[in-house]
């Protein structure tokens, strides 16, 4: 399995605190000030799909030019907690028997 890095950073988009996930085919922004869960689901689905082909890791950072640690501290804490939980979920998925079977079938077909 190839190792692949997905870059994630906390930034501001249209003055909203946003987690940006950079995938090979574009990026997905999760607005941390919105109740919309569709983008959270989209990110998870894209990560799960990526796991079928590659081991992945998340590289998380904060855009310190746009995020003020004094004003945005709650969002920084929430983003860090979300990323840590997502990393744990990724590790858990790597042990899933269905994923192991999918990966095995892909290497058999190469």
């Amino acid at each position: 399995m190839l190792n692949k890095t997905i870059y994630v950073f906390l930034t501001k988009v249209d003055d909203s605190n946003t987690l940006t996930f950079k995938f090979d085919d574009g990026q997905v922004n999760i607005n941390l000030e919105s109740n919309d869960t569709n983008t959270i689901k989209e990110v998870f689905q894209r990560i799960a799909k990526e796991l079928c082909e590659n081991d992945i890791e998340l590289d998380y950072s904060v855009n310190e030019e746009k995020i003020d640690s004094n004003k945005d501290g709650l969002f920084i804490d929430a983003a860090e907690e979300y990323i840590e939980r997502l990393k744990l979920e990724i590790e858990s998925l790597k042990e899933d028997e269905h994923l192991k079977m999918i990966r095995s079938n892909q290497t058999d077909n190469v």
Side-chain angles (χ1 to χ4, degrees):
M1 285 289 126
L2 295 173
N3 264 346
K4 192 167 205 175
T5 302
I6 296 174
Y7 295 94
V8 185
F9 53 95
L10 179 63
T11 189
K12 296 266 189 197
V13 175
D14 298 329
D15 292 325
S16 294
N17 290 289
T18 303
L19 266 178
T20 298
F21 288 76
K22 291 209 166 223
F23 296 96
D24 286 345
D25 61 349
Q27 68 185 32
V28 177
N29 294 325
I30 297 176
N31 181 340
L32 299 179
E33 299 178 44
S34 169
N35 292 330
D36 180 21
T37 59
N38 290 328
T39 52
I40 294 171
K41 291 175 188 174
E42 179 184 352
V43 165
F44 190 79
Q45 288 172 340
R46 290 179 77 162
I47 287 172
K49 181 180 175 190
E50 189 66 50
L51 273 172
C52 291
E53 299 173 9
N54 301 294
D55 278 339
I56 63 167
E57 62 181 48
L58 300 178
D59 183 338
Y60 170 72
S61 62
V62 176
N63 181 340
E64 294 178 1
E65 292 178 7
K66 294 189 175 186
I67 300 294
D68 180 341
S69 62
N70 293 321
K71 282 184 12 185
D72 301 315
L74 180 62
F75 292 103
I76 293 169
D77 293 345
E80 289 173 358
E81 178 70 19
Y82 178 73
I83 295 300
E84 285 307 309
R85 289 179 183 248
L86 191 53
K87 286 179 179 180
L88 290 172
E89 189 64 29
I90 289 168
E91 289 305 311
S92 175
L93 282 173
K94 287 180 185 178
E95 300 304 316
D96 182 80
E97 292 302 317
H98 293 99
L99 179 62
K100 289 179 180 181
M101 188 174 14
I102 290 168
R103 286 177 162 187
S104 175
N105 288 340
Q106 287 182 344
T107 52
D108 291 346
N109 293 331
V110 175

